[in-house]
Structures are given as C-alpha cells and as structure tokens.
C-alpha cells in the first residue's frame, strides 16, 4: 500500500520554494520599479511576488500528488517527479542509516524529514519531505527491523529458512547521555579552525574599530599576539555556540545490532548507526580536551550521516577519556595498543619545514614594515626560532601506528590528535606514497582506505612519515591480514563478487598500491 507525504508538507515546502526564489523576484521587481518608476513599478513588483507565490503553491501541490512511497517485502520504493516520473527501489540491505531531522518550525508543525543513506553516498539516497513525526519514527523502526530480518534470512541456512523462527525482541541499552557539565566543557574546548578564514573576513563587520590600521600600529611583538588573541577568542566563541546547539540533548542508545542517536537544539537530528556497517572508529582529542582529560568518539559508516560531513557521526561528542575508550572498545575490541613512532629523521624534516615557514613569515613582516606599517619591528619574528624544534618534536611525538590482532590503528596530530581504528575486513585499499621531500629522507606515508565517505576528502587512517621499507612491509602485512580476516568471515564458495554490494564483505579483493 502506497503512502503519501503529510498534507502540511505542501504549505511548508511552498514557503521554502518561495523564499529560495524571492531574491530573484526582488531583483527583477526592483529593476522594474527603477526602470518604470512610480506606482506602476510598485504594482509590477507586487505582481511578480504574487505570481511567484502562486507558482510555488501549484508546484508543491503537484509534487505532493506525485510523490508516493511503499515498504515492500525486499525494497523501499519511491515514485516522484512533476515533469518527469522517477521510480526507485532501494533494497533494505543497502540502507546504511535512517535519519530524522526537525527544525524548530517543523517541530511546532509536527512534521519531520526522513533521510535514507546508502553505502558510498556523499548525500542522502532518498528524502521524504515531509511526514508526520510519528510516521518518521515508524519508518525508522520498520526499516531497521526489515533490514535486520533481511540480513538474518540471507545468512541463515536453507534448513533454517524452511522453519518459522520467532524474532526475538530487541533490548535497548542507554550507552551515553551528555550532561550539562559535559555540554559546558564542549562549548569551552571546541575549536573549529575552518571558521578562522570566515571570521578573519568578518572582523571589520563585527567591530569596525578593529579594521582601523591605527589599531595595529606598533611593534610586531605587540601586534601579532593581539591579533592572534582576538581571532582565537572569536573562533572559540563561534565554535562553542555551534557545538552546544548541535549536541544539545545528545543521547546514544544501543538497540539490538545498531546504535541510535538523537541531538540538536535548533535542528533536532535522530539517526541509526548499524554496527555491522562500521568502517572506522576515530577518537579525537584537541589540545584543550587533553589538558582536562576529555575526548570525543566518531563512528564512520559507508553512508552519509544527517547533519555531519563525510559520513561520520559522533557517538560521544565529549566525555572523560576513559569513558570514551571503554565505549570504543565495546564497539570494536582492539585491545591494548603500543604505538610505533616514525624514525627520528622525520622530526628533522619537520624542523626544516617549520624553519622555512618562519623564514617566509619573517620576510613578509619585513616587507610590511618597509612598505606598509612603519616601526613594525619585524625582527621580533626571529624569536620563533625557539619554538621550531619544540613544534617539530611535538608533531613527531604524536604520530604512530600499530597492527593488533584484528585492527590497524593509527595516530596523528598535536593540536587535534586523532586515533583511527580500522578493522582489517573493512580495508578497501592499502597504498604507500612518497613526496619529493619524503624520498630525500627515505620516508613514506601508508594510507588505509575504507568504504567510508571520509575517504573522499582525504581523512583515511594514515601512518605518516614512516620508514620507506617499513611502509612496504606494512602494506603487504595489512593486505595479508585482510585476506585472513575475510577467510574467517566468508565461506570460500560465497566469496564471489556481487555487483549489488560493496566492500570486502562482498568478497572483492583489496587493492594494494606500491609507492610511487
């Protein structure tokens, strides 16, 4: 039986469509008013807005009439399209995550958006805009249950399939719920450096006084720390506000073989994380979090996650480090890890790199004093020489890798240290690469690629600047352990490539790329 969207989706989507095109109508209307002038121009402008609103309502009515969905025995079917008809069938076993999102207006109206994510997608495979919140919850539960039953039926033997089996009731266990104290800590320690360029451009608008060149007149040892403090405070405040609104009311529960999360203040998100589809665990600790003993945990699946980038979903936005490690071990029991650091000649490479950066900055400061800002006292930049060996050592100290029984674990980063845990059976590609600078010091970087979407943006697990010969050995060893892991999970007669599935679970051999 086919189902339609909620009737309130028509007025809500009509307003959305009208607002999206309002700026075009405004430009056209404003130009017409300026050209025609007077009352006639105002009437043209008003008529353009009215026609845009009527057009939006008519279009959304047609969209509502033409959009239908249905849960069949094996697939989730959708039919949509106003001008051209589009029919889709999404197999349950291909669905990675089922997400529900609601902003403030949608919560007041009692509607929600449902997103279905499949493996390897950088966006949702299907979106239902919009259904009632009760229907959204029903779809989330029903799709999870049908996916689980489908998975069980495929793995059952023929004898078991002939017998009628009772489906056990799934138990629900609350794994994590953020407290007010943890939310406050999250707001204080969150630093998103991606906001830095935007805030740098926004400084003149936030405070016009800061755009006055006279503010920055003076010695460099005064100007540089002042500018750094201002940008840090702005970035910290903006990052804290975003983090608190994103993870307000966060809770994580385990229901059978999947995790479910809910979070958000203004935009409320709810989604599922199937444990059988976990690609990588990432434990993240920035320098402030490490100072107070906190960390966060991200779970990467092969699908897109609502409200997140790159397919990763926070399992724990922030908590005491021991608590985060216990939860990570419960999801992927990788045991105790002793990291092997890169050779010390990698530290020499960082020293040369940072020294070069300091030289460039010092040259720019000299030119600024020569042509733009008198009495800048550029030579104070040379004090950075003291920090160069310290920075090189800290970068080297926080790098490492380890091969344990069933996982490969990598670590990198000082300002934001990330520890990535990858099960061998999730590895898609193992490759080592050398830049021209690495070749001079006989170093290489080993990349462990998975089916996760973060691979598309270069955030795979990596063993950085390890010995070149050791990288070759690790590449072969990881590939061998992958094959051993697969042989223990898939019967030989079933290890044939199935084009409807992806990843090593389908029996496709990994790609092993030698160094360039």
């Amino acid at each position: 039986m086919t189902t339609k969207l909620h009737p309130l989706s028509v007025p809500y989507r009509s307003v959305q469509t009208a607002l999206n095109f309002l700026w075009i109508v405004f430009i056209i209307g404003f130009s017409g008013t300026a050209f025609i002038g007077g009352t006639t121009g105002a009437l043209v402008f008003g008529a353009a807005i009215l026609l845009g609103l009527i057009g939006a309502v008519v279009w959304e009515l047609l969209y509502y009439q033409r959009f239908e969905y249905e849960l069949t025995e094996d697939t989730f079917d959708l039919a949509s399209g106003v001008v051209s008809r589009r029919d889709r069938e999404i197999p349950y076993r291909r669905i990675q995550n089922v997400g529900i999102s609601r902003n403030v207006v949608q919560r007041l109206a009692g509607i929600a958006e449902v997103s279905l994510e499949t493996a390897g997608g950088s966006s949702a495979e299907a979106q239902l805009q919009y259904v009632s919140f009760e229907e959204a919850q029903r779809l989330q539960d029903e799709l999870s249950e049908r996916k689980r039953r489908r998975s069980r039926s495929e793995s059952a033997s023929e004898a078991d399939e002939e017998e009628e089996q009772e489906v056990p009731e799934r138990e629900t266990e609350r794994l994590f719920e953020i407290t007010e104290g943890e939310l406050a800590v999250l707001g204080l320690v969150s630093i998103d450096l991606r906001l830095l360029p935007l805030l740098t451009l926004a400084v003149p608008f936030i405070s016009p006084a800061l755009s006055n060149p006279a503010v920055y007149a003076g010695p460099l040892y005064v100007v540089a720390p002042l500018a750094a403090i201002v940008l840090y405070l702005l970035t910290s405040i903006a990052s804290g506000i975003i983090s608190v609104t994103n993870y307000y009311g966060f809770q994580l529960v385990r229901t059978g073989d999947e995790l479910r999360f809910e979070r958000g203040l203004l935009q409320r998100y709810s989604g599922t994380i199937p444990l059988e589809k976990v690609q990588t665990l990432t434990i993240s600790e920035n320098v402030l979090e490490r100072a107070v003993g906190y960390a966060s945990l991200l779970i990467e699946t092969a699908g897109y996650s609502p409200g997140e980038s790159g397919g990763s979903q926070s399992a724990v936005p922030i908590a005491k480090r021991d608590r985060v490690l216990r939860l990570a071990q419960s999801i992927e029991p990788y045991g105790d890890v002793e990291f092997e650091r890169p050779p010390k000649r990698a530290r020499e490479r960082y020293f040369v790199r940072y020294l070069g950066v300091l030289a460039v900055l010092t040259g720019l400061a000299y030119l600024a004093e020569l042509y733009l800002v008198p009495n800048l006292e550029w030579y104070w930049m040379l004090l950075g020489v003291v920090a160069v060996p310290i920075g090189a050592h800290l970068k080297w100290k926080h790098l490492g890798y380890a091969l344990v029984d069933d996982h490969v674990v990598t670590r990198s980063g000082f300002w934001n240290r990330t520890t990535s845990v990858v099960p061998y059976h999730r590895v898609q590609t193992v490759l080592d690469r050398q830049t021209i600078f690495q070749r001079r010091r006989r170093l290489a970087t080993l990349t462990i690629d998975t089916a996760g979407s973060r691979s598309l943006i270069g955030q795979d697990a990596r063993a950085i600047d390890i010995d070149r010969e050791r990288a070759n050995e690790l590449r072969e060893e990881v590939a061998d352990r992958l094959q051993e892991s697969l042989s223990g999970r898939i019967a030989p007669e079933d290890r044939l490539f199935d084009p409807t599935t992806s990843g090593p679970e389908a029996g496709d051999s990994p790609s092993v790329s030698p160094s360039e």
Side-chain angles (χ1 to χ4, degrees):
M1 177 179 177
T2 59
T3 309
K4 303 190 74 64
L5 300 175
H6 195 282
L8 285 179
S9 65
V10 176
Y12 187 85
R13 284 178 55 91
S14 298
V15 173
Q16 281 186 314
T17 303
L19 290 176
N20 288 337
F21 292 98
L22 186 60
W23 66 274
I24 299 177
V25 175
F26 176 80
I27 293 175
I28 296 174
F30 182 80
S31 301
T33 303
F35 181 76
I36 300 174
T39 305
T40 305
L43 291 174
V44 171
F45 178 67
I49 294 178
L50 182 60
L51 288 175
L53 291 174
I54 294 174
V57 172
V58 171
W59 178 270
E60 295 305 334
L61 278 172
L62 293 173
Y63 181 89
Y64 172 80
Q65 292 293 334
R66 302 276 286 176
F67 194 104
E68 298 176 334
Y69 62 91
E70 180 181 9
L71 282 75
T72 66
E73 183 178 353
D74 299 317
T75 60
F76 182 74
D77 297 349
L78 297 100
S80 62
V82 176
V83 178
S84 60
R85 192 70 170 170
R86 183 185 183 190
D87 297 319
R88 284 175 289 173
E89 296 181 355
I90 305 175
Y92 295 131
R93 57 188 171 85
R94 296 290 295 158
I95 297 175
Q96 298 281 337
N97 307 318
V98 181
I100 301 174
S101 63
R102 298 177 295 151
N103 59 30
V104 176
V105 177
Q106 291 164 1
R107 294 205 295 271
L108 291 174
I111 58 177
E113 176 182 349
V114 179
S115 301
L116 274 65
E117 295 85 37
T118 57
S122 58
S123 61
E125 177 69 21
Q127 291 178 301
L128 306 183
Q129 298 178 323
Y130 298 86
V131 298
S132 68
F133 180 55
E134 292 75 15
E135 173 68 2
Q137 290 180 310
R138 185 191 74 84
L139 286 173
Q140 190 178 64
D141 293 338
E142 187 70 18
L143 287 171
S144 297
E145 182 63 28
R146 295 195 180 208
K147 181 175 61 175
R148 185 174 69 92
R149 289 182 178 179
R150 182 65 180 174
S151 177
R152 290 176 61 247
S153 66
E154 288 181 350
S155 60
S157 64
E158 294 183 0
D160 293 333
E161 289 177 354
E162 294 176 357
E163 298 178 1
E164 184 177 353
Q165 298 181 357
E166 182 180 354
V167 179
E169 184 179 352
R170 294 188 294 174
E171 297 182 357
T172 298
E173 176 189 5
R174 187 178 301 277
L175 298 179
F176 179 79
E177 184 173 6
I178 195 167
T179 64
E180 293 181 357
E182 289 169 333
L183 193 65
V185 172
L186 178 64
L188 292 174
V189 303
S190 296
I191 297 291
D192 189 350
L193 296 180
R194 294 172 297 181
L195 297 174
L196 190 58
L198 178 62
L199 291 174
T200 302
L201 296 175
V203 163
F205 301 96
I206 297 174
S207 177
L210 294 176
S211 62
N212 187 350
V215 175
Y216 304 100
L220 187 61
Y221 63 86
V222 175
V223 173
L226 176 63
I229 291 173
V230 169
L231 288 176
Y232 171 79
L233 290 176
L234 291 175
T235 305
S236 178
I237 293 172
S239 301
I241 293 174
I242 293 173
S243 296
V244 170
T245 55
N246 279 345
Y247 294 106
Y248 177 86
F250 183 94
Q251 55 182 331
L252 181 74
V253 298
R254 184 167 188 164
T255 305
D257 54 357
E258 71 179 13
L259 302 177
R260 293 196 176 190
F261 66 90
E262 188 173 353
R263 63 176 179 83
L265 179 61
L266 302 178
Q267 185 82 12
R268 194 71 178 166
Y269 293 104
S270 173
T272 59
I273 307 174
L275 292 175
E276 62 178 6
K277 303 298 183 181
V278 172
Q279 304 291 319
T280 305
L281 297 184
T282 301
I283 300 167
S284 178
E285 313 159 82
N286 66 35
V287 66
L288 294 178
E289 290 172 337
R290 294 202 303 272
V292 293
Y294 281 78
S296 61
L297 175 65
L298 289 87
I299 299 178
E300 180 181 357
T301 62
Y304 162 84
S305 296
E308 297 286 342
S309 60
S312 287
Q313 175 58 53
S314 288
V316 178
I318 195 166
K320 284 293 187 180
R321 189 172 188 272
D322 292 342
R323 188 179 179 189
V324 170
L325 293 178
R326 285 197 300 270
L327 180 57
Q329 292 279 6
S330 69
I331 298 173
E332 288 290 346
Y334 55 93
D336 296 330
V337 177
E338 293 185 6
F339 288 102
E340 183 176 345
R341 291 197 183 107
K344 292 185 178 180
R345 60 180 181 275
R347 185 168 52 188
E348 299 171 1
R349 181 185 174 219
Y350 307 142
F351 178 84
V352 174
R353 177 195 298 175
Y354 295 160
L355 198 61
V357 171
L358 179 62
V360 171
L361 294 177
T362 303
L364 292 175
Y366 172 75
L367 293 175
E369 180 179 0
L370 192 62
Y371 296 105
L372 299 175
V373 186
N375 302 320
L376 190 60
E377 300 185 15
W378 60 270
Y379 45 82
W380 284 98
M381 290 288 295
L382 298 175
L383 290 177
V385 172
V386 178
V388 168
I390 299 175
H393 175 73
L394 290 176
K395 179 176 177 62
W396 172 82
K397 179 182 178 181
H398 290 272
L399 293 175
Y401 63 92
L403 300 185
V404 293
D405 292 340
D406 299 310
H407 303 80
V408 54
V409 186
T410 65
R411 184 180 69 182
S412 64
F414 167 72
W415 297 107
N416 186 39
R417 188 174 69 189
T418 58
T419 303
S420 300
V421 181
V422 182
Y424 289 124
H425 65 273
R426 295 300 185 190
V427 176
Q428 293 283 319
T429 306
V430 188
L431 61 130
D432 63 273
R433 293 179 176 174
Q434 290 181 282
T435 66
I436 186 174
F437 302 104
Q438 287 177 315
R439 287 199 293 268
R440 292 183 58 187
R441 297 182 182 275
R442 306 186 311 282
L443 300 173
T445 295
L446 186 75
T447 301
I448 312 298
D449 180 42
T450 66
S453 300
R454 287 168 64 91
S455 300
L456 302 176
I457 55 177
Q459 295 187 0
D460 291 301
R462 296 187 300 164
I464 301 173
D465 286 334
I466 62 178
D467 181 78
R468 182 177 59 195
E469 298 301 325
R470 181 59 176 151
N472 292 334
E473 296 173 0
L474 286 176
R475 188 186 69 242
E476 299 297 335
E477 187 172 354
V478 170
D480 291 342
R481 294 198 183 194
L482 167 60
Q483 294 295 347
E484 294 175 2
S485 177
L486 292 179
S487 65
R489 297 174 62 88
I490 305 175
E493 61 270 21
D494 295 333
R495 234 175 287 152
L496 298 175
F497 179 72
D498 180 358
T500 63
T501 60
S502 64
E505 295 175 8
D508 50 329
S509 298
S511 172
V512 182
S513 302
S515 59
E516 298 173 352

